[in-house]
Amino acid sequence: MDIVYAQPLKELLQVSTYFKEKTLLLVSGDIQYQKAKQSDMNPCLVLSEKDDLNNTKGKMTAVVGGSIKSNEFAVKIKADFLLQPSNTKQFFDLGLAQKLTDNNTTVVLMFEELLEANSFERHAIWKNFIEIVAYCKKKKTRFIVASGCKDPLHLRPRKVRESLAVMLGLEQNLAQKYLEDLDNLK
Amino acid sequence: MNIEKKKKATIPLSQRERKRYILLEVLNADIAEKDFYFGFWIELLSFFGSKGLAEINPRIVAYKENKAIIKCRRGKETDLIAGTAFITKIRNKKIIINPVISSGTIRTIKEVAKVFTGKAKDGLPEEKKAPETKESPKK
């Protein structure tokens, strides 16, 4: 399963069916959530600290990281996904990895952000994610690479995402297993 | 001064560097062979750098009908596949590169791709296919 942002559903379905891959659609707000559900997509609510947490029961939740506060928020609400926990600065450590393992949270690298970064930022992001993978391996936290795109033509095949995870330091069988685990999520 | 021409010693098969072949498929746009070469090298070079690319040692073996066979060092195929994720545009055309299969022999790749085998629909190779002859009407 791939994780992408809300976008033209028709084109997204065309590309994802070619790759024989389901997609998890990141939506913000109940209206978008219902829309995605109506069109047989798997929606996932993106939450921030300002959002109301009462309506999240039984729904998949994700938190966009990138600061100490937002990473802690993901731990606090036991989110299913922590997207992009660090950017050019490192906000991830062994303690956070342990907490995420306890909450059964998956750490996600959004490939689109790496793609959009310039060459100066790209190496910093890459270095931080090598560290994140090392922490995740130590604490057995689930880690995946997702397309994280807003354009259907930026969707990446599963093999590519798997090899990106392997390049970051994850073992091949673990990279495969974590992606398969995501397929089984309902 | 006489210069003796010595025949180059061939490296035995067992001592040669092991290689892998990868079949890549270009989706969403028709890309010419030259443009693919250019886009492929630029993006990989910017991501891996000269040293990294030398270690992977990629070579474009063949390109036909938006399908390419790439040769690389064995054990580096994951790096090469990961590197193709950074190729998003060639000549301002948005593309997706899909790695179809990786294999140790070029034969398997050609069998999967079919465009490189040059076989016509009825099973005969295109060159050897008998030309159509006009039959004279029977009297």
Side-chain angles (χ1 to χ4, degrees):
Chain A
M1 197 183 279
D2 200 358
I3 301 174
V4 293
Y5 281 104
Q7 51 189 275
L9 294 179
K10 204 177 174 184
E11 287 174 22
L12 177 68
L13 275 171
Q14 272 181 351
V15 181
S16 61
T17 45
Y18 185 83
F19 290 144
K20 294 169 187 169
E21 185 103 71
K22 285 178 189 173
T23 46
L24 195 72
L25 210 64
L26 295 173
V27 292
S28 47
D30 271 338
I31 302 162
Q32 275 192 344
Y33 188 90
Q34 295 303 333
K35 245 187 190 177
K37 228 162 194 185
Q38 279 168 7
S39 49
D40 290 333
M41 303 292 287
N42 301 316
C44 177
L45 261 180
V46 181
L47 295 172
S48 65
E49 287 160 59
K50 291 167 191 169
D51 288 326
D52 182 22
L53 302 175
N54 295 325
N55 300 330
T56 56
K57 243 188 180 179
K59 289 175 185 171
M60 285 244 240
T61 52
V63 173
V64 181
S67 66
I68 296 170
K69 264 191 179 179
S70 51
N71 288 353
E72 275 176 1
F73 178 67
V75 174
K76 192 180 155 191
I77 64 161
K78 294 185 178 177
D80 294 304
F81 301 100
L82 173 58
L83 316 171
Q84 206 71 12
S86 54
N87 36 47
T88 46
K89 284 182 181 176
Q90 182 65 286
F91 299 107
F92 200 88
D93 54 16
L94 273 174
L96 183 64
Q98 182 62 55
K99 283 173 193 168
L100 293 172
T101 315
D102 297 340
N103 294 344
N104 208 16
T105 306
T106 308
V107 179
V108 184
L109 161 65
M110 305 292 263
F111 182 69
E112 181 84 350
E113 292 201 19
L114 191 72
L115 206 65
E116 281 174 359
N118 61 41
S119 52
F120 294 105
E121 293 167 349
R122 197 181 275 180
H123 83 271
I125 297 173
W126 191 261
K127 183 266 295 174
N128 285 339
F129 270 91
I130 287 172
E131 283 176 10
I132 288 174
V133 170
Y135 295 147
C136 287
K137 266 171 82 177
K138 232 174 198 176
K139 296 293 175 188
K140 290 175 185 172
T141 317
R142 265 189 271 163
F143 175 86
I144 59 160
V145 178
S147 300
C149 55
K150 287 165 187 167
D151 180 3
L153 290 174
H154 282 183
L155 221 69
R156 293 283 160 251
R158 175 179 285 233
K159 256 187 196 176
V160 172
R161 287 183 287 121
E162 212 177 276
S163 2
L164 278 166
V166 172
M167 248 186 107
L168 284 168
L170 211 62
E171 281 141 31
Q172 182 94 44
N173 54 347
L174 274 179
Q176 269 176 7
K177 196 196 150 213
Y178 291 153
L179 280 173
E180 280 164 13
D181 285 350
L182 202 65
D183 290 333
N184 302 329
L185 282 176
K186 282 183 182 177
Chain B
M1 199 175 106
N2 288 330
I3 299 167
E4 279 182 33
K5 271 191 177 179
K6 278 185 183 177
K7 209 180 175 183
K8 248 188 182 179
T10 50
I11 306 164
L13 197 67
S14 58
Q15 285 172 20
R16 271 181 225 168
E17 197 179 72
R18 295 274 169 252
K19 54 198 174 291
R20 288 290 271 184
Y21 294 93
I22 299 164
L23 175 66
L24 299 179
E25 187 183 24
V26 183
L27 304 174
N28 197 46
D30 286 329
I31 301 292
E33 195 176 346
K34 268 188 181 177
D35 297 337
F36 179 78
Y37 268 59
F38 185 73
F40 182 79
W41 282 109
I42 287 285
E43 287 299 331
L44 288 189
L45 196 63
S46 76
F47 181 61
F48 291 112
S50 312
K51 185 184 169 282
L53 208 61
E55 279 169 2
I56 297 168
N57 194 17
R59 291 276 176 276
I60 299 168
V61 178
Y63 184 85
K64 211 175 181 184
E65 292 173 23
N66 278 4
K67 280 178 182 164
I69 300 174
I70 316 284
K71 188 169 90 170
C72 71
R73 189 173 285 178
R74 196 177 71 175
K76 293 283 179 187
E77 59 267 20
T78 44
D79 290 10
L80 183 64
I81 290 170
T84 58
F86 291 90
I87 308 168
T88 51
K89 266 183 187 178
I90 290 178
R91 287 246 168 189
N92 275 338
K93 287 177 187 169
K94 278 185 181 179
I95 57 152
I96 305 174
I97 290 190
N98 183 26
V100 184
I101 189 175
S102 65
S103 168
T105 59
I106 202 162
R107 195 175 160 189
T108 321
I109 297 275
K110 281 182 176 176
E111 277 170 14
V112 173
K114 284 174 189 170
V115 287
F116 299 102
T117 49
K119 279 185 179 179
K121 279 178 186 176
D122 52 355
L124 283 170
E126 275 171 10
E127 291 162 7
K128 289 177 183 176
K129 201 179 169 187
E132 283 178 23
T133 50
K134 282 182 184 176
E135 283 179 20
S136 57
K138 285 175 186 175
K139 286 178 184 176

